[in-house]
Amino acid sequence: MVANRLDPWHGAWFHPYSFVDLTVNRAPDEGTPDEGDGFVVDVSFKLAGRVVVPVRAVFTAPEPRTVVMHIVEGEGEGSVVETHATPIGLDAHGRPRTAVVEAVVCASERPGFALARAAAPLMRPLIRTAAGRLWRDDLAYAERRWALRASGRFPG
Ligand SMILES: [Fe+2]
């Protein structure tokens, strides 16, 4: 899951139903030291049809099993999504199991955000459906990546 979160490019080809116009502006090894460490990603989140929300997000890994995404520009600027992956032992087939806990803090100083909150009951089912699909696809990505790594055929 950590590898998934630190692969921002996958949003474009793996989640085309939710993300459009995804550009990775900077990878951690491309910036100067004062720019900090992390991925800087411009992306538009598809709400419905042609309704998209463009944002700039910065992904960092403050700890080995933690990835944090900060929305630094666009709607919801100041929002944070923090993902923790915790190993919880092996399943009956000897495959590692992982608990993934994600904390989402939405914030905005923008006047439009109050309007967005008023519309939240309408938007919530849409967003929940999109988030559920993202989760299922990302879990499949993580499991495939683990299977490839465990087979020794994949260097990551
Ligand atoms: Fe994903």
Side-chain angles (χ1 to χ4, degrees), residues 4-5 10 14-15 134 138:
N4 173 272
R5 288 293 186 274
H10 87 272
F14 201 52
H15 308 301
L134 289 169
D138 281 341

Side-chain angles (χ1 to χ4, degrees), residues 56-133:
R56 171 165 288 183
V58 174
F59 292 80
T60 53
E63 297 166 350
R65 294 189 180 116
T66 302
V67 178
V68 183
M69 180 190 76
H70 290 267
I71 303 294
V72 294
E73 279 178 47
E75 198 56 58
E77 182 181 329
S79 301
V80 179
V81 177
E82 189 166 318
T83 307
H84 296 271
T86 306
I88 51 172
L90 304 176
D91 69 9
H93 303 286
R95 295 173 302 202
R97 301 185 68 228
T98 304
V100 180
V101 177
E102 206 152 65
V104 181
V105 180
C106 296
S108 182
E109 302 283 314
R110 292 156 65 103
F113 198 66
L115 211 67
R117 276 213 347 222
L122 294 170
M123 302 307 291
R124 205 169 284 138
L126 278 174
I127 292 171
R128 189 176 292 142
T129 302
R133 187 164 178 196

Side-chain angles (χ1 to χ4, degrees), residues 45-66:
F45 183 75
K46 262 195 226 180
L47 280 179
R50 291 196 205 152
V51 182
V52 296
V53 182
V55 297
R56 171 165 288 183
V58 174
F59 292 80
T60 53
E63 297 166 350
R65 294 189 180 116
T66 302

